[in-house]
Amino acid sequence: MTLESIKSHALSHVGASHLVQWMGSQVYKVGGKMFAVHAPEAGHLTVKCDSEETARMLIEVGAAKHAPHLPRGGWVAFDVATTDPEELSARMTRSYEVVRSTLPKAIQKELGDQ
């Protein structure tokens, strides 16, 4: 996936926002909480898994790596150059869903339907 296709997919989710921080990392949030980080210089996309078990499995099979700077909570990093774009899109969408589900009910209601 390219920088633009990652950005386009991330921002297609209801209530998603984008900012650049941490030395050029593209950070995507919903309700003020991060759901994806694309570090173009490092070539990886960091997302939250639905569980720490899923994150461990992805790391064990070599599909993902430990997320830099996010050692806990089910965060993993995928190599953008070698991971199938459909897999990256699906993982980003799942991360959005997981993070959105942790938001207070009032904020979820304010965001509306997914």
Side-chain angles (χ1 to χ4, degrees):
M1 290 182 87
T2 65
L3 174 71
E4 285 307 312
S5 62
I6 290 171
K7 184 176 182 179
S8 175
H9 182 74
L11 293 177
S12 71
H13 296 91
V14 175
S17 62
H18 169 257
L19 66 133
V20 178
Q21 62 188 75
W22 305 316
M23 302 184 322
S25 292
Q26 310 293 308
V27 180
Y28 301 96
K29 296 182 177 187
V30 60
K33 288 192 169 189
M34 181 173 69
F35 72 89
V37 179
H38 178 217
E41 296 295 321
H44 63 256
L45 176 68
T46 300
V47 295
K48 185 168 181 68
C49 295
D50 53 5
S51 69
E52 290 196 37
E53 291 79 24
T54 300
R56 276 195 298 275
M57 183 273 302
L58 289 168
I59 292 166
E60 286 174 9
V61 300
K65 298 177 184 175
H66 289 280
H69 313 294
L70 296 166
R72 296 183 306 266
W75 290 91
V76 295
F78 289 92
D79 184 322
V80 173
T82 61
T83 305
D84 179 66
E86 288 182 23
E87 174 79 4
L88 289 175
S89 293
R91 294 289 174 187
M92 204 176 342
T93 296
R94 185 63 188 135
S95 181
Y96 167 85
E97 294 167 347
V98 168
V99 171
R100 182 183 164 126
S101 73
T102 67
L103 297 172
K105 297 293 181 203
I107 293 175
Q108 290 184 47
K109 186 177 180 181
E110 188 177 295
L111 289 171
D113 293 334
Q114 294 184 31

